[in-house]
Amino acid sequence: MLKQLCRLHTDLSEEDILKLEAVEKSIFMFANIVKGDIFIDCLTRDTDIAIVVSEAKPTNCGSLYKNSVVGQIALRENEPGALRTLEIGMETTELKALTQENIVVKQNTVPIKNNEGKIIGVLIMEKDITEDESQSRNVEILSQTTEQLSETLMNIKDSDYENLVAYNLMNDAILVINETGICMYANYKAEELYKSMGYKDKIVGMSFDNLVLNKISFNKIVEDKKAIVIEADIGKLSLQIKYAVTKKETNIYGIIMLIKDLTEIKEKDKELILKAVAIREIHHRVKNNLQTIASILRLQSRRIDNIQAKKAFDESISRILSISATHEVLSQKGIDDVDIKTILSKIKDNATRNSIQLNKKVSIKLSGDSLNVNSDRATSIAIVANELIENSLKHAFTEENEGIIEIIIKKGITYSNISISDNGKGFETKLMNNESLGLKIVRSIVKDKLSGDINIESNNNGTKSVFNFNN
């Protein structure tokens, strides 16, 4: 099919067509390695139109195509990367394109050249546009087995290495070392990598001793007969290197070196660590400042004789400490998300201490699901929960000096809720029209900050407050 299409739609010579057929032999196995669709396109006599002359669909995962597209055209407006590569010979990485079946994909492209260096076709690898970015920066070749790769590379003839254009689609460097320790093949990424390390000569034909990037010998790898994975820092580069022995039955054929450039990943990891440290420090300072404010208010409260004013101070101190508890947990995590159960545990401990100060023996229990929320939401939940717990401590046990307050967290798919109940004396809910400032704060936060609602029920057996919020 490739030969007929090239003769019909292109001006390629018979020698060029033979070259394309040689490349075509490797793309079927390669489609399974990269788990993506592979195509060979050629420029037609119309410079804005290419034609698909060959395709390879993966058999170990689903193809993005329902039908074959061999013989169909590729327009510049739909596949700019492919047409660009055909014209100027520059490779393309992760460029969006529209397929013949109107599916948006990511394309990697590399040129196919004849013996004179003329561009005669383009090799295209297509992956799903919705694929997770961390998984899709081409092929995570070091995380896959090398069985298929080894089997193909060890059985090809020396003259066929130049037809392995498909391996130039990889972001990972590939070097094939024969049984005498000489490099017989290096893909484009390998050539570029070694150039970046200062190598002036072509690496094909070099000995393993000149190419190895850590203290290990060729004979050691061959003798161990197993894959070795190491990491090496070369200048500013951070590399992960895998040495895999190519063998068939008991015969050793040589070594495949697979090198992945981790420099960008390592730099991002460093940035994340620095950001995490900065976030922890910010939350730590906020926590300290809030606790300082609470201490100042506590000192001021001791100088006041008015009972109502002292009560207002104590309530404000309690609210500030509930916010401080959130920042204390966040200062330990270094991330913006926090388990609300951890926050409520600290609020529970503070409330227990308050209970002792009020000469009451109130047991506070916390149970339910773990639930991660961001810092802003965590602060709002902490204020609401603290207010409801303090209400129970102050009003539910005025006739008795002991009781139980129970906090339960229930995680839902869309909405989650937290219930706070006590076994105190209860109150008439119809009198809630004249509710306290604390309850007004609670209702405002639940509605405006948490996009939820609150329900309070009370009788002679106690009071139960349940508020929910959007996940």
Side-chain angles (χ1 to χ4, degrees), residues 261-278:
D261 188 351
L262 300 178
T263 307
E264 186 177 344
I265 296 172
K266 294 281 188 180
E267 287 299 321
K268 287 182 178 178
D269 287 344
K270 289 179 183 177
E271 289 177 9
L272 288 174
I273 291 171
L274 290 174
K275 286 180 180 178
V277 171

Side-chain angles (χ1 to χ4, degrees), residues 327-362:
H327 288 284
E328 182 180 359
V329 174
L330 288 165
S331 70
Q332 297 165 355
K333 299 291 182 180
I335 54 177
D336 193 52
D337 286 352
V338 63
D339 185 353
I340 197 62
K341 197 170 187 178
T342 306
I343 303 291
L344 294 183
S345 177
K346 291 188 173 296
I347 291 174
K348 175 181 79 73
D349 293 341
N350 288 336
T352 301
R353 285 192 289 271
N354 289 344
S355 170
I356 295 172
Q357 292 173 3
L358 294 170
N359 296 317
K360 297 181 185 298
K361 295 180 180 179
V362 177

Side-chain angles (χ1 to χ4, degrees), residues 79 81 149 203-204 221 341:
E79 301 184 49
L149 188 60
I203 59 178
V204 172
I221 298 171
K341 197 170 187 178

